[in-house]
Amino acid sequence: MERIRPIKYRPDWNNIPVDWLISKMELYRAPGSSDLNEEFESTAAERTNTKIVRIPPQHTNWEELNKVFRIFDFGCMDYLSFIELPANVGYPSHVDKLRSCNINFVRPTTDGTPVSPIKFGERVYEWDRFFMDPSVHHEVPASTSTRFTMMCTYLNTPYDKILKYLQRDGWV
């Protein structure tokens, strides 16, 4: 089976401080690019004007974020990443060498423009929330709308271990 699966949990975007998170974002710069996948991380991400902010698992002032931490931390989440990809920009096919797996939640647009497609291997998925193994080639097609993603990021916990937790708790 492919190493991407839909997630049943749907965050309540009305209770996530998107505007506040955007105000805290910085342009993405690949840390220590010599350790990264040069075909993507040190080239395309920096050219896309992608913005990012990361929050470690913690208690926050926002119950929806606290809920995401409670449900998906499993004692091993490294942080929640919030990523803003500008309209009309995509990511080419790449792998992410710094992460072992992640759960992505793509915020819907107010006008209904789809911004959630991901090409994983040779298939395109239209899911707005999914669990994936970022060591498999994937790409994000450009959209006419800005793409805002909340990502539960696991740097060292294997995909199969997180998958077992998600299956145990009924999320996949």
Side-chain angles (χ1 to χ4, degrees):
M1 174 168 245
E2 288 201 68
R3 294 175 68 83
I4 185 169
R5 307 211 180 182
I7 288 285
K8 293 177 184 174
Y9 184 80
R10 182 181 305 273
D12 181 353
W13 286 102
N14 292 324
N15 290 314
I16 294 176
V18 173
D19 291 337
W20 180 81
L21 290 162
I22 289 171
S23 76
K24 302 299 181 191
M25 288 182 160
E26 297 180 357
L27 283 176
Y28 177 85
R29 294 290 177 250
S33 60
S34 63
D35 298 333
L36 300 175
N37 177 358
E38 294 295 331
E39 80 180 277
F40 174 71
E41 293 283 2
S42 65
T43 56
E46 291 181 8
R47 287 193 314 252
T48 63
N49 292 320
T50 298
K51 293 182 181 175
I52 189 166
V53 65
R54 295 180 178 108
I55 300 175
Q58 61 184 289
H59 181 78
T60 73
N61 291 328
W62 298 280
E63 185 51 36
E64 187 63 20
L65 293 182
N66 296 337
K67 191 174 179 183
V68 170
F69 284 131
R70 278 193 309 270
I71 293 171
F72 298 111
D73 180 20
F74 307 120
C76 54
M77 182 194 308
D78 290 281
Y79 43 78
L80 275 179
S81 303
F82 296 89
I83 303 156
E84 184 181 57
L85 180 63
N88 303 310
V89 175
Y91 294 138
S93 183
H94 67 283
V95 298
D96 299 303
K97 291 185 176 180
L98 292 181
R99 284 182 273 122
S100 57
C101 59
N102 49 273
I103 303 169
N104 288 17
F105 302 96
V106 182
R107 182 182 183 207
T109 60
T110 54
D111 66 1
T113 306
V115 293
S116 58
I118 183 167
K119 185 175 182 190
F120 192 85
E122 296 303 315
R123 280 189 68 189
V124 175
Y125 297 90
E126 300 289 335
W127 301 329
D128 62 348
R129 54 203 193 281
F130 53 90
F131 171 57
M132 67 176 274
D133 176 349
S135 71
V136 175
H137 270 267
H138 57 282
E139 68 182 83
V140 177
S143 171
T144 57
S145 295
T146 297
R147 180 182 173 117
F148 186 87
T149 302
M150 175 174 60
M151 178 192 306
C152 300
T153 305
Y154 307 89
L155 300 177
N156 300 303
T157 308
Y159 172 91
D160 293 324
K161 184 172 185 175
I162 298 298
L163 177 59
K164 286 180 184 176
Y165 292 141
L166 293 170
Q167 288 171 325
R168 176 197 69 194
D169 296 346
W171 295 116
V172 294

